[in-house]
Amino acid sequence: MKKIKGKKITAGLTSLFLITVLVITGCIGLTGCGSSDPSQTINVFNWGEYIDEDLLRDFEDETGIKVNYTTVATCEEMYAKMKAGGVSYDVVVPSDYMVARMAEEDMIQEIDWDNVPNAQYIDEDFRNPEYDPEGKFSAPYQWGTVAIIYNKDMVDEADLTGWEILWNEKYKDNILMFDNSRDAIGIALKELGYSYNTTDEAQIREAADLLKKQKPLVQAYVMDQIFDKMENGEAAIATYYVGDYYLMLNELGEDSDIDLGLYKPEEGSNLYVDAMCIPKDAQNKEGAEKFINFLLKPENMAQNTEWISYSTAVTVGITKEGRWLCTEASSAQMADGSWEELPGNMPCVISPDRADHGMILFAPSGQVEKLHVDVVIPALHGLWGEDGTVAQTDSSVRQLVVPTA
């Protein structure tokens, strides 16, 4: 679920450099790039700017295995590229719901945990999760929650009474909403008092109708655009990922005139997990397991978590500088679901409905996914016909969202 704006220029230059190298070396596909011996190379497919790159170099120095690192914007894009074939990846980092889908479609393989001894540090709450109930296919990478980011000079904090503020006409044209059907429908479902994981078609349609009613109040449906808009004071309210709120604060700095706040609605929020998996066609499974084991090493995960600003599922988190990072286990005392700032200024987050996370993502059939195309996406993008059903849907969107089987 990671979406980060920071360090875009660096990422762009890195990508340009890599493209140049690939052209010069004639290395078209990823398989075997950088080494004629597949056992000395792993191809990693992860979200953009979702790792401390120093760790990649540390892994290469420690193991002698070169890392070819490729980024992706969405889980659906990751799924489509893996499904299309032509490129082999050794480690991929999908979100929870996509782990379940890939396992069901035989796209990922079981991890040999004997080769991943650092799995012992995974917090008990993140073992055998709903999306991987037998704990065969995935190791948690990072987790996070969704909340409301608001401009303290533009929002009356007395109005922060729940998700309902997103339908408050006082803030018309000052609301930024997820351009992401999964997150948007989850918020609407919570506002109505329903489960994120509902498979009830009537409830999903009711939530989609609520999103339609919200549309006239929304300034824009955004993802990464939220950074510029909120940091420049162009909107009052935005829904986004908690980790990125802390990135915004870092980018603004202490002297900024923009004063942003974070609000977690009392109805609760979803908790999502991005996880490390090994594709079925991986060329270097042994190297992939070494990489997963390396990242699960407590000091490595602590370093990575501090750089990313999300939360770790590893129970021990001490950085090289001695800063302590929060995990779910270390904040068990926060039973009331409150927020707390911990040493090192790292967020510790408990969702009061954490057992109800995943946002319609554990349905075993494609029916709920199809509703996203036929009902939810049109609610966000105004593709409704006169009869109240979808008038048009981009075929590429349908191909990505609706399972092929």
Side-chain angles (χ1 to χ4, degrees):
M1 288 286 182
K2 187 66 176 174
K3 301 287 186 296
I4 301 181
K5 166 182 170 282
K7 300 185 178 68
K8 285 289 186 184
I9 295 177
T10 302
L13 292 175
T14 301
S15 298
L16 179 61
F17 173 75
L18 289 175
I19 291 171
T20 303
V21 171
L22 290 176
V23 170
I24 292 174
T25 60
C27 195
I28 306 298
L30 285 177
T31 304
C33 287
S35 172
S36 58
D37 182 359
S39 68
Q40 294 304 306
T41 302
I42 58 169
N43 300 316
V44 179
F45 203 20
N46 195 3
W47 303 85
E49 299 184 52
Y50 201 19
I51 194 168
D52 182 342
E53 293 186 5
D54 287 344
L55 288 171
L56 299 180
R57 291 184 282 271
D58 290 345
F59 174 79
E60 291 177 337
D61 292 342
E62 182 176 308
T63 65
I65 299 173
K66 176 176 173 53
V67 179
N68 292 321
Y69 192 82
T70 306
T71 62
V72 65
T74 69
C75 274
E76 285 67 35
E77 180 186 342
M78 178 183 292
Y79 171 88
K81 288 187 176 182
M82 291 175 62
K83 202 74 171 176
V87 179
S88 174
Y89 301 105
D90 299 298
V91 178
V92 295
V93 187
S95 296
D96 39 25
Y97 71 95
M98 192 58 74
V99 174
R101 179 172 173 181
M102 288 178 175
E104 182 180 353
E105 297 184 20
D106 199 30
M107 294 174 65
I108 52 179
Q109 59 180 296
E110 294 185 19
I111 297 172
D112 185 346
W113 295 110
D114 289 339
N115 296 328
V116 189
N118 287 330
Q120 65 181 300
Y121 299 114
I122 296 173
D123 186 277
E124 288 293 337
D125 284 345
F126 291 87
R127 296 171 186 251
N128 305 323
E130 294 94 328
Y131 57 87
D132 185 10
E134 296 183 48
K136 294 180 178 180
F137 300 102
S138 65
Y141 180 68
Q142 293 283 297
W143 63 270
T145 58
V146 168
I148 291 174
I149 301 169
Y150 67 97
N151 186 312
K152 293 183 179 180
D153 295 324
M154 301 172 70
V155 173
D156 182 350
E157 294 189 344
D159 294 332
L160 295 171
T161 56
W163 290 113
E164 63 184 3
I165 193 173
L166 299 172
W167 283 264
N168 189 328
E169 294 189 2
K170 180 193 297 188
Y171 301 104
K172 181 178 181 181
D173 296 327
N174 263 313
I175 297 172
L176 302 178
M177 189 65 177
F178 273 115
D179 189 11
N180 175 324
S181 64
R182 295 184 180 279
D183 289 312
I185 196 68
I187 290 170
L189 285 166
K190 263 305 172 190
E191 170 62 14
L192 293 168
Y194 299 141
S195 169
Y196 279 115
N197 289 316
T198 183
T199 58
D200 187 310
E201 180 173 345
Q203 292 181 355
I204 295 172
R205 289 186 178 276
E206 185 180 355
D209 286 340
L210 191 61
L211 293 175
K212 287 171 63 179
K213 293 177 182 177
Q214 182 199 33
K215 190 172 181 64
L217 307 179
V218 175
Q219 178 192 120
Y221 294 94
V222 300
M223 292 303 291
D224 273 0
Q225 303 94 321
I226 184 178
F227 287 90
D228 287 337
K229 285 183 173 291
M230 293 303 292
E231 289 174 14
N232 292 325
E234 297 174 11
I237 301 169
T239 55
Y240 217 56
Y241 309 115
V242 171
D244 291 316
Y245 163 73
Y246 290 95
L247 286 174
M248 290 181 198
L249 295 187
N250 289 336
E251 290 185 355
L252 287 169
E254 295 181 358
D255 298 329
S256 174
D257 293 331
I258 302 297
D259 190 6
L260 298 181
L262 186 69
Y263 171 63
K264 183 171 179 292
E266 58 191 18
E267 299 95 333
S269 176
N270 69 301
L271 183 154
Y272 59 84
V273 181
D274 295 329
M276 297 177 284
C277 302
I278 302 176
K280 197 77 171 182
D281 61 352
Q283 298 298 300
N284 189 356
K285 185 174 188 286
E286 181 181 351
E289 289 168 341
K290 287 182 179 180
F291 185 74
I292 292 172
N293 188 60
F294 176 84
L295 288 180
L296 289 177
K297 189 176 181 179
E299 52 264 47
N300 291 341
M301 187 58 80
Q303 176 181 333
N304 199 34
T305 301
E306 183 172 34
W307 192 91
I308 296 171
S309 295
Y310 275 40
S311 300
T312 175
V314 171
T315 55
V316 181
I318 304 294
T319 68
K320 293 177 180 177
E321 292 77 22
R323 292 176 64 189
W324 178 67
L325 304 186
C326 170
T327 68
E328 184 82 7
S330 64
S331 60
Q333 72 277 12
M334 295 166 56
D336 62 349
S338 60
W339 300 73
E340 183 173 317
E341 292 293 332
L342 294 167
N345 197 37
M346 294 302 294
C348 185
V349 184
I350 293 290
S351 177
D353 61 340
R354 74 173 306 277
D356 181 34
H357 71 274
M359 303 180 59
I360 326 176
L361 307 181
F362 305 127
S365 72
Q367 178 60 24
V368 172
E369 295 282 2
K370 187 175 186 302
L371 283 171
H372 273 271
V373 171
D374 292 343
V375 178
V376 181
I377 292 176
L380 294 177
H381 296 285
L383 303 177
W384 295 91
E386 294 181 359
D387 61 354
T389 59
V390 65
Q392 58 175 321
T393 301
D394 185 277
S395 60
S396 63
V397 173
R398 180 179 293 275
Q399 183 179 2
L400 288 175
V401 178
V402 178
T404 56

